[in-house]
Amino acid sequence: MTRPLIGITTWRRSIDTDLGTGRPAHTLGAEYATPIEVAGGAVVLLPPTAGIDEVLDRLDGLVLSGGEDVHPSRYGAAPQEGKTYDSARDGYEIALALGARDRGLPVLAICRGLQVSTVAFGGSLMVDIPATEHHHPVRGADEQLSARHPVTFAEGSRLAALYGTTERTVNTIHHQSVEVSAPGLRPVAWAPDGIVEAVEADGDWPFWAVQWHPEKLIDPDEAAEERPLFAAFVEAARERATEPSVAQKGTR
């Protein structure tokens, strides 16, 4: 069976190594690749680079991963004091999102990935979600990983069909979400406080964007619940890999 080639974007951070402290690195948590591989995909990492068209023409699917905030100036808002941003990553991932849409390339957008897609396609974000019962101010890593809240899916949405339910519980790591939906994207899941938790694309484009982190739901029972999302994404990428498209024939 063909393993589709899935590109996953990376996070540029400073790390400590035997060669010194604060060394720049393109990083990605291993938990992103694992469910893609389990679902039958082959993974490549995508640091910001030139040749976006050449990269996209070789991929069968794209994962826009989580990470730091998109710079608010890209959607007409003011930056937050004390926040750091990565303009190179913003520009690269916005271009990837636009190029994927043009090609109909399957996309799974996670947390920041949903936000990147919203900005790329003309929407805007809440710079900081107001504190509610279900969304608290940013906390320490351990508390973030354990925090949960319910979401409700729109009936008839692709996500409701995948999960086989209109209600489930997800993790609560983000502090931003959609304020104004982008043209061509529609909200399909919400927290009880009204925060948008997922969007889907109009038409037949295989695009899923979730505000939670499915790859970080590490409890065995929760992990099983997330498998349908990764399986559907990889299957869409596999179908694309077997299509006799002109672009792919010219690059494989």
Side-chain angles (χ1 to χ4, degrees):
M1 182 178 294
T2 301
R3 279 191 174 266
L5 188 64
I6 309 296
I8 309 179
T9 57
T10 59
W11 185 347
R12 184 163 50 183
R13 288 182 280 194
S14 296
I15 63 173
D16 297 339
T17 73
D18 292 340
L19 298 177
T21 60
R23 294 180 61 82
H26 295 293
T27 68
L28 183 76
E31 66 268 24
Y32 280 97
T34 299
I36 298 295
E37 293 170 342
V38 168
V43 171
V44 293
L45 302 188
L46 303 177
T49 184
I52 288 172
D53 287 336
E54 289 81 358
V55 169
L56 287 172
D57 285 344
R58 287 166 170 79
L59 294 178
D60 302 309
L62 172 68
V63 177
L64 295 170
S65 66
E68 70 276 75
D69 297 351
V70 178
H71 199 290
S73 65
R74 290 190 178 268
Y75 51 95
Q80 290 184 285
E81 185 176 351
K83 283 280 186 181
T84 59
Y85 304 96
D86 187 339
S87 60
R89 183 183 181 188
D90 291 347
Y92 179 64
E93 292 186 358
I94 287 171
L96 285 177
L98 291 169
R101 183 180 65 178
D102 290 344
R103 291 165 172 77
L105 187 71
V107 172
L108 174 58
I110 295 173
C111 196
R112 169 189 158 93
L114 181 153
Q115 297 157 13
V116 165
S117 302
T118 296
V119 172
F121 304 153
S124 65
L125 306 175
M126 293 183 182
V127 175
D128 208 6
I129 296 172
T132 71
E133 176 186 353
H134 301 286
H135 290 90
H136 306 287
V138 175
R139 299 146 295 198
D142 290 343
E143 187 180 355
Q144 285 193 55
L145 289 173
S146 63
R148 300 285 187 269
H149 69 272
V151 297
T152 300
F153 298 116
E155 291 188 9
S157 64
R158 295 171 187 166
L159 286 174
L162 281 179
Y163 289 116
T165 182
T166 57
E167 295 184 357
R168 65 179 307 250
T169 299
V170 300
N171 50 22
T172 317
I173 299 175
H174 55 284
H175 81 102
Q176 294 190 315
S177 188
V178 174
E179 182 172 59
V180 177
S181 296
L185 299 182
R186 63 185 183 280
V188 295
W190 301 264
D193 53 19
I195 295 299
V196 174
E197 292 286 335
V199 300
E200 294 175 358
D202 294 336
D204 296 329
W205 180 27
F207 173 96
W208 300 268
V210 297
Q211 192 56 76
W212 65 91
H213 280 267
E215 82 290 352
K216 288 183 172 60
L217 288 168
I218 57 178
D219 177 90
D221 293 334
E222 292 178 321
E225 291 180 6
E226 291 299 339
R227 287 174 191 152
L229 176 59
F230 289 103
F233 166 66
V234 172
E235 181 57 31
R238 180 179 290 110
E239 291 177 2
R240 180 179 177 83
T242 59
E243 290 177 357
S245 69
V246 174
Q248 289 184 321
K249 280 184 176 179
T251 56
R252 297 207 172 206

